[in-house]
């Protein structure tokens, strides 16, 4: 591989992997549990409409 | 106001589902081909600039819009947009694109997804063993043709699987698939990328090393940076890879709570997509294909069959050079990763449609999932049976390309100029776990809309050529064979029919939005005895 190709490839891989890892580290160290118990099959219904 | 209680089970599940929505077959099949055709390694510069100036801002906007609407009980784009500009009815109908795109794209995307399932099966069962390159390539034509019935079986299997997972809900279905599928996709991708990069010249019949392919892909041609075509290609790639302008991000984000973060979540999901695309997507098909066909052979193949052709017509043959066991395992890994990339995206297409049906027509989750599955089945039939007449490509062009650009351009105008950047900026920052640089406020208001207009205007000549059948008419005029001419004329008829179908879908959804709006008015009327 040419030096410029290695530079572009390694640089891109390092930047993209580093930033992704950083944001995932932030997500994994800051989980947020659901506030309310999940009831996914609760009955649905029409909503009223806020005309304002 | 009563709303259903559905929500995400965990933050990681949400981010993986959002990343899964973005990561699709294009990460592995489209990105490397775009890079090869647009300056090699230098393509990454306009690509990352477009990601920063268009991708990230649009992610912030779509996540914020979704949460804003969801907090007000709206889980589909017509009424999410309506809640942002309640006095301007037009936005309700702009939001129709956010449902239309998902149904129309799912109609052909599920068929594409089913190929990966089928090819996974045939790779493991040794179907390609002993076949020549031409035979493997030709087998794809047979598989997608009239004679094959098993492509229909795999397609229906794929539709049933999607419908079943959607019926299990966000945390019970989509989130579980994302938590299993995304790590497996990355694992399979890493295994194949390492295999591609470490391929040695002379090994199992390879004529070049994998690094020759990597060199060709990443060797920068800096003169290309000054070409508008390259910037248009980079902007288009960023757009499609992040699933922007579809309405699925809005829908997933609409199940957040009012103080939940959108900034860090959006960045994590967006960057994870970039990791899969740049790091894994750039290290599989090009290095392996160059390894066996050389640089010139790979360029010819790219021009003839494109990324999709390389993935389905070429790689199964190349895997055979590694011996029967490795061929089966590589086929399983390659089509398995494409399958996970596909299903996490198709599930995201079902959610906005289900959200609309549940919000406005009071349907239960199972009913709305089955209706979505049925709609995709009916609308997908022409793409399956008339694939070679260009129906698939027509759906992809109008629903999967043009609609996205139109919708994203309009949504950013709504967010930054109608809803207002002050309110918009506050919405993005509400509950944020990271500090967003203030410059993004100006990027969202001025630069991203300008970028989108640049993409849209740049696409207009192509749209006009498509609309007037320029290429098809040229082919008909140049065709010396009457049989070929008849085929092309028939193809034009199917292309026109596809456009009619797509227009009819859009109008039907708009009519449903109108009906839903009337119902909302009646429900909130003081004359309604329930009020």
């Amino acid at each position: 591989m040419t030096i410029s190709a290695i530079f572009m490839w390694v640089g891109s891989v390092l930047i993209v992997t580093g930033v992704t890892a950083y944001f995932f580290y932030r997500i994994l160290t800051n989980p947020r549990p659901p506030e309310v118990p999940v009831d996914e099959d609760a009955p649905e219904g029409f909503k009223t409409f806020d005309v304002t | 106001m009563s709303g259903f209680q559905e929500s995400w089970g965990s933050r990681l599940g949400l981010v993986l589902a959002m990343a899964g929505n973005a990561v699709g077959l294009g990460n592995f099949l489209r990105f490397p081909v775009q890079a090869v055709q647009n300056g090699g390694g230098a393509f990454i510069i306009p690509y990352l600039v477009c990601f920063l100036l268009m991708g990230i801002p649009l992610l912030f906007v779509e996540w914020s819009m979704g949460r804003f609407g969801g907090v007000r009980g709206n889980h589909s784009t017509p009424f999410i947009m309506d809640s942002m500009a309640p006095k301007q009815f037009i936005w309700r109908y702009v939001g129709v694109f956010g449902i239309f795109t998902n149904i129309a794209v799912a109609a052909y995307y599920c068929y594409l997804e089913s190929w990966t399932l089928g090819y996974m099966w045939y790779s493991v069962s040794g179907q390609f063993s002993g076949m020549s390159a031409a035979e493997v390539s030709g087998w794809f034509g047979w598989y997608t043709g009239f004679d094959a019935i098993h492509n229909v079986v795999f397609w229906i299997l794929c539709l049933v699987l999607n419908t079943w997972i959607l019926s299990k809900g966000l945390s019970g279905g989509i989130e579980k698939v994302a938590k299993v599928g995304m790590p497996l996709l990355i694992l399979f991708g890493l295994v194949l990328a390492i295999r591609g990069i470490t391929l040695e010249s002379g090994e199992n019949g390879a004529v070049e090393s994998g690094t020759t392919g990597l060199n060709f892909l990443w060797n920068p041609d800096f003169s290309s940076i000054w070409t508008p075509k390259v910037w248009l290609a980079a902007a288009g790639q960023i757009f499609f890879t992040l699933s922007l302008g579809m309405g699925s991000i809005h829908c997933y984000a609409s199940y957040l709570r009012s103080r939940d973060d959108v900034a860090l979540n959006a960045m994590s999901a967006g960057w994870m997509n970039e990791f899969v695309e740049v790091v894994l997507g750039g290290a599989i098909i090009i290095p392996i294909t160059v390894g066996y066909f050389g640089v010139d052979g790979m360029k010819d193949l790219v021009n003839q069959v494109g990324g999709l052709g390389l993935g389905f017509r070429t790689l199964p043959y190349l895997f055979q050079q590694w011996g029967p066991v490795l061929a089966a395992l590589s086929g399983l890994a390659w089509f398995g990763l494409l399958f996970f990339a596909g299903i996490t995206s198709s599930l995201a297409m079902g959610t906005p449609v289900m959200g609309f049906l549940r919000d406005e027509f009071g349907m239960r989750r199972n009913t709305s999932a089955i209706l979505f599955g049925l709609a995709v089945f009916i609308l997908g039939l022409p793409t399956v049976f008339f694939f070679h007449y260009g129906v698939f490509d027509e759906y992809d062009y109008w629903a999967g390309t043009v609609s996205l650009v139109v919708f994203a351009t309009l949504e950013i105008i709504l967010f930054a100029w109608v809803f207002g950047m002050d309110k918009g900026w506050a919405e993005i920052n509400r509950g944020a776990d990271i500090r967003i640089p203030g410059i993004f406020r100006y990027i969202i208001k001025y630069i991203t809309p300008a970028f989108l207009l640049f993409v849209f205007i740049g696409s207009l000549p192509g749209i006009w050529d498509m609309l007037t059948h320029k290429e098809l008419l040229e082919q008909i005029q140049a065709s010396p064979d009457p049989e070929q001419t008849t085929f092309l004329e028939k193809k034009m008829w199917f292309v026109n029919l596809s456009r009619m179908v797509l227009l009819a879908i859009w109008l039907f959804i708009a009519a449903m939005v109108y009906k839903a709006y009337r119902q909302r008015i009646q429900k909130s009327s003081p004359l309604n005895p329930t009020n």
Side-chain angles (χ1 to χ4, degrees):
Chain A
M1 283 179 81
T2 61
I3 296 292
S4 52
I6 292 173
F7 181 78
M8 293 307 291
W9 180 53
V10 174
S12 305
V13 167
L14 285 179
I15 290 171
V16 172
T17 310
V19 178
T20 308
Y22 169 73
F23 284 126
F24 260 82
Y25 169 77
R26 294 287 303 266
I27 291 278
L28 291 170
T29 52
N30 189 17
R32 190 172 286 181
E35 204 168 49
V36 287
V38 176
D39 175 11
E40 294 196 342
D41 215 15
E44 295 88 36
F46 296 109
K47 289 180 193 62
T48 53
F49 183 52
D50 181 6
V51 284
T52 61
Chain B
M1 183 179 282
S2 69
F4 46 87
Q5 304 292 310
E6 193 156 27
S7 67
W8 294 100
S10 69
R11 186 176 194 183
L12 182 64
L14 161 69
V15 171
L16 287 177
M18 276 288 195
N21 168 33
V23 172
L25 275 71
N27 290 55
F28 298 94
L29 303 176
R30 193 175 190 270
F31 168 75
V33 170
Q34 288 290 317
V36 163
Q37 292 172 337
N38 293 287
F43 181 70
I44 201 73
I45 295 170
Y47 176 83
L48 286 180
V49 169
C50 290
F51 179 58
L52 290 173
L53 298 182
M54 195 179 77
I56 290 175
L58 271 171
L59 284 173
F60 286 149
V61 167
E62 295 198 352
W63 276 75
S64 310
M65 284 174 72
R67 185 185 57 180
F68 181 87
V71 167
R72 286 154 184 79
N74 303 302
H75 302 90
S76 62
T77 46
F79 290 98
I80 289 173
M81 294 180 110
D82 190 64
S83 63
M84 296 177 76
K87 293 195 170 97
Q88 298 174 19
F89 79 97
I90 192 75
W91 296 108
R92 217 162 34 241
Y93 297 97
V94 169
V96 168
F97 280 103
I99 298 177
F100 161 78
T101 306
N102 286 289
I103 290 190
V105 172
Y108 71 85
Y109 198 83
C110 283
Y111 182 43
L112 181 57
E113 193 181 308
S114 75
W115 297 351
T116 65
L117 209 56
Y119 267 68
M120 224 190 319
W121 167 259
Y122 289 113
S123 297
V124 174
S125 64
Q127 173 71 36
F128 306 114
S129 177
M131 280 188 175
S132 66
E135 282 170 337
V136 173
S137 180
W139 196 85
F140 175 79
W142 174 79
Y143 181 82
T144 52
F146 279 114
D147 299 339
I149 188 68
H150 35 239
N151 64 347
V152 179
V153 173
F154 281 111
W155 176 54
I156 290 173
L157 189 68
C158 199
L159 283 183
V160 171
L161 191 63
N162 271 281
T163 307
W164 179 70
I165 295 167
L166 283 169
S167 73
K168 296 285 166 195
L170 287 181
S171 62
I174 295 169
E175 208 174 314
K176 281 183 182 165
V177 171
K179 278 180 172 173
V180 174
M182 290 307 288
L184 270 178
L185 180 151
I186 290 173
L187 178 72
F188 289 164
L190 280 173
V191 169
L192 287 168
I194 290 168
R195 179 70 190 134
I197 295 166
T198 57
L199 192 66
E200 292 288 338
S201 175
E203 181 192 352
N204 303 122
V207 294
E208 296 277 4
S209 66
T211 48
T212 307
L214 214 55
N215 183 63
F216 177 73
L217 179 61
W218 289 97
N219 199 29
D221 168 15
F222 288 109
S223 64
S224 67
I225 292 181
W226 310 111
T227 316
K229 174 185 151 277
V230 171
W231 282 86
L232 204 60
Q237 180 60 25
I238 280 297
F239 207 86
F240 303 122
T241 189
L242 291 170
S243 295
L244 298 166
M246 279 198 76
S248 47
I249 294 177
H250 306 74
C251 181
Y252 272 4
S254 71
Y255 295 98
L256 289 170
R257 289 169 283 147
S258 64
R259 303 283 309 172
D260 275 347
D261 160 89
V262 296
L264 178 58
N265 286 341
M267 291 293 271
S268 305
W271 277 96
M272 187 174 185
N273 176 70
E274 295 312 297
F275 170 78
V276 172
E277 182 153 290
V278 175
V279 179
L280 303 180
I284 300 177
I285 60 168
I286 300 296
I288 296 177
T289 311
V290 168
Y292 285 93
F293 289 104
V295 170
D296 291 337
M298 185 275 295
K299 283 199 298 203
D300 287 346
L301 278 169
V302 165
N303 290 332
Q304 285 165 24
V305 295
L308 200 65
L310 281 186
F312 286 91
R313 289 174 183 267
T314 310
L315 281 198
Y317 166 72
L318 300 184
F319 293 152
Q320 297 307 313
Q321 314 309 309
W322 300 347
V325 178
L326 263 183
L329 290 175
S330 306
L332 183 71
W334 171 243
F335 293 111
L337 81 84
L338 290 183
F339 175 70
F340 285 124
I343 196 163
T344 45
S345 300
S346 60
L347 290 173
M349 293 169 204
T351 321
V353 182
M354 288 171 63
F356 176 66
L357 294 174
R358 297 182 71 192
D359 277 357
E360 310 307 328
F361 301 101
M363 284 185 193
R364 296 188 76 81
R365 197 175 57 210
N366 285 350
T367 318
S368 59
I370 290 168
L371 263 182
F372 172 73
L374 272 176
V376 170
F377 172 73
I378 293 165
L379 298 171
L381 280 170
T383 69
V384 177
F385 290 104
F386 305 112
F387 175 77
H388 293 292
Y389 287 106
V391 176
F392 185 103
D393 292 338
E394 205 61 19
Y395 273 46
D396 181 41
Y397 186 74
W398 294 107
T401 310
V402 177
S403 286
L404 308 189
V405 182
V406 171
F407 183 57
T409 308
L410 293 172
E411 78 176 350
I412 199 138
I413 291 170
L414 168 69
F415 187 86
W417 294 90
V418 179
F419 185 63
M421 208 49 230
D422 288 341
K423 279 200 284 179
W425 188 244
E427 200 55 43
I428 292 171
N429 282 286
R430 179 171 300 122
D433 283 333
I434 50 170
R435 194 183 152 274
I436 304 168
I439 190 154
F440 272 102
R441 184 189 174 113
Y442 301 99
I443 291 174
I444 290 171
K445 188 164 184 180
Y446 300 107
I447 296 179
T448 310
F451 238 103
L452 283 165
L453 283 171
F454 164 70
V455 173
F456 183 63
I457 292 167
S459 314
L460 280 177
I463 293 174
W464 178 251
D465 288 349
M466 275 295 279
L467 208 59
T468 54
H469 301 294
K470 188 181 174 207
E471 200 183 319
L472 211 49
L473 287 170
E474 281 173 0
Q475 284 175 354
I476 290 171
Q477 277 173 354
S479 170
D481 178 10
E483 208 170 296
Q484 173 75 1
T485 309
T486 312
F487 170 77
L488 290 169
E489 282 170 353
K490 215 169 175 183
K491 186 174 176 178
M492 194 187 283
W493 188 85
F494 275 106
V495 163
N496 284 331
L497 190 70
S498 309
R499 291 176 187 177
M500 300 279 204
V501 170
L502 291 172
L503 184 64
I505 300 170
W506 195 96
L507 290 172
F508 178 72
I509 297 166
M512 284 179 75
V513 168
Y514 176 75
K515 186 170 186 244
Y517 176 75
R518 298 301 307 169
Q519 280 181 346
R520 283 183 174 219
I521 292 286
Q522 281 168 6
K523 282 273 169 190
S524 61
S525 163
L527 297 173
N528 188 330
T530 58
N531 288 336

